[in-house]
Amino acid sequence: MPSAWPLPACCLSRKSSSAKYAEPATEQLNDCGSMRWRTNNRFAAPMVVRMPVGFFKCGDPWHSQTNEVAFIHSPGWKVASPSNAEGLLRTSLRGNDPVIFLEHRAMLDHAWARRPWPGEDYAIPFGKAKFVAEGNDVTIVTWGGMVDRCQEAAEGFSVDVIDLRTLVPWDREAVLNSVTRTHRCLIVHEDLQTAGFGGEIVPHDQMRLAIA
């Protein structure tokens, strides 16, 4: 038996015009992730669903939501929310896992989201954060469209600014190692005030630091 049965044989990439508009396909999306999870990866599900998220310039309640936690809570899915799509998108397309790829609307227009072409072999692994600034006084954990704002706000200060890049999985060790050194942590993300992904990071760090 092959290690992973492909369903389908080729990778499917689909882009929704807004994360909000993915809700009518909730059952199908959940089933795709569950297929990968419940078979312990024996069935492949090479699907990448790209979704624009976040507020940019102008927008209504339907187009401005992030709602990343809805997909994080679905088993079997990987979730990416990078400040730059290059590298992670290639990894997503080449893998056998279903991926929710959240693209902040600001990335479509702002110069900070553009990068030189790195070549066809450039790929970034999931679960590997990036330090976009380094310092000793405080740790800022962020992702997506907030990375540039945090980097700009940190100028002139001794600050670790960590771009998580992926939320499932997320780089726990990078965050913990930084907070262990700075003893302060600020989590910056764009979401509703209640039950955001920042609430996942805080208790993890508190528990690990308390045990240590």
Side-chain angles (χ1 to χ4, degrees):
M1 178 181 293
S3 59
W5 288 92
L7 297 173
C10 61
C11 179
L12 172 64
S13 179
R14 178 75 175 104
K15 184 170 183 178
S16 167
S17 60
S18 171
K20 182 69 174 177
Y21 295 150
E23 291 182 0
T26 298
E27 182 178 358
Q28 289 81 1
L29 291 174
N30 285 341
D31 287 347
C32 184
S34 295
M35 185 182 302
R36 184 73 163 146
W37 173 62
R38 293 188 65 180
T39 62
N40 195 26
N41 298 333
R42 288 190 300 111
F43 280 17
M47 174 185 290
V48 181
V49 183
R50 299 169 59 197
M51 299 182 188
V53 296
F55 178 81
F56 179 58
K57 290 185 177 179
C58 60
D60 52 51
W62 290 270
H63 293 84
S64 301
Q65 295 187 29
T66 301
N67 203 29
E68 57 208 12
V69 291
F71 305 107
I72 292 169
H73 194 65
S74 299
W77 284 91
K78 288 185 175 180
V79 180
S81 184
S83 59
N84 178 263
E86 185 59 46
L88 270 176
L89 184 57
R90 183 173 287 106
T91 301
S92 301
L93 291 169
R94 291 177 176 176
N96 281 326
D97 295 299
V99 178
I100 299 292
F101 204 92
L102 305 176
E103 303 173 8
H104 198 281
R105 297 180 190 282
M107 294 169 56
L108 305 178
D109 191 54
H110 279 177
W112 61 263
R114 302 173 190 147
R115 301 289 190 278
W117 169 245
E120 295 183 358
D121 296 327
Y122 179 71
I124 298 173
F126 271 67
K128 185 66 175 178
K130 178 182 179 181
F131 283 75
V132 297
E134 296 187 28
N136 300 309
D137 293 340
V138 64
T139 299
I140 298 178
V141 182
T142 187
W143 55 90
M146 297 295 102
V147 173
D148 178 66
R149 295 190 180 189
C150 291
Q151 191 173 4
E152 183 178 354
E155 291 182 1
F157 299 94
S158 182
V159 178
D160 269 358
V161 179
I162 301 176
D163 176 8
L164 283 184
R165 301 199 287 199
T166 65
L167 306 180
V168 180
W170 63 281
D171 195 342
R172 291 169 167 82
E173 292 306 316
V175 175
L176 186 65
N177 290 339
S178 176
V179 175
T180 301
R181 182 167 44 82
T182 65
H183 306 291
R184 298 176 182 87
C185 184
L186 177 65
I187 301 170
V188 181
H189 63 117
E190 181 180 349
D191 204 345
L192 300 175
Q193 192 170 17
T194 303
F197 188 67
E200 173 79 7
I201 299 173
V202 170
H204 175 270
D205 284 354
Q206 288 177 333
M207 183 179 299
R208 290 284 299 274
L209 289 170
I211 294 174

